[in-house]
């Protein structure tokens, strides 16, 4: 990944654990209560305009269309805690 120090990627691989199988095989039953919580979407792979354009088409983006949802763009890798940790921390601090 461009801009990611070699030791960071090596550390990520070394400390990673496989995703637990049950998270892909056991259905989740939601009450809908989480939909009422305020949300901030930190967008690393897509700009806000692209997310808004896909909300009606891509099921994974539908939950991002809620009223009161906020967006912050942080272009970079899928895991900003690896390639932009300071900027991610600042965003999280601002909303805390």
């Amino acid at each position: 990944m461009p801009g990611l120090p070699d030791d960071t990627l090596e550390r990520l691989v070394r400390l990673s654990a496989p995703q637990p199988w049950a998270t892909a095989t056991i259905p989740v039953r939601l009450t809908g209560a989480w939909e009422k919580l305020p949300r901030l979407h930190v967008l690393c792979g897509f700009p806000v305009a692209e997310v808004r354009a896909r909300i009606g088409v891509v099921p994974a983006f539908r939950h991002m269309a809620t009223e009161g949802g906020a967006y912050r763009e942080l272009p970079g890798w899928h895991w900003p805690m690896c390639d932009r940790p300071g900027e991610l921390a600042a965003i999280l601090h601002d909303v805390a």
Side-chain angles (χ1 to χ4, degrees):
M1 188 68 211
L4 189 66
D6 290 339
D7 62 327
T8 300
L9 185 56
E10 181 277 326
R11 184 172 187 264
L12 177 65
V13 170
R14 183 172 35 84
L15 296 176
S16 292
Q19 179 174 342
W21 183 247
T23 63
T25 59
I26 297 175
V28 174
R29 290 177 182 42
L30 300 174
T31 64
W34 72 277
E35 290 284 349
K36 297 175 181 78
L37 297 173
R39 282 176 265 168
L40 171 68
H41 304 281
V42 179
L43 307 174
C44 301
F46 303 96
V48 174
E50 189 171 342
V51 168
R52 287 189 175 137
R54 292 180 178 205
I55 283 173
V57 183
V58 179
F61 289 162
R62 280 191 210 136
H63 71 279
M64 298 174 82
T66 60
E67 198 172 304
Y71 303 93
R72 292 285 298 270
E73 291 183 13
L74 185 60
W77 200 32
H78 181 72
W79 292 303
M81 62 288 242
C82 292
D83 68 335
R84 300 181 75 180
E87 292 158 282
L88 177 60
I91 290 171
L92 297 175
H93 183 267
D94 285 349
V95 298

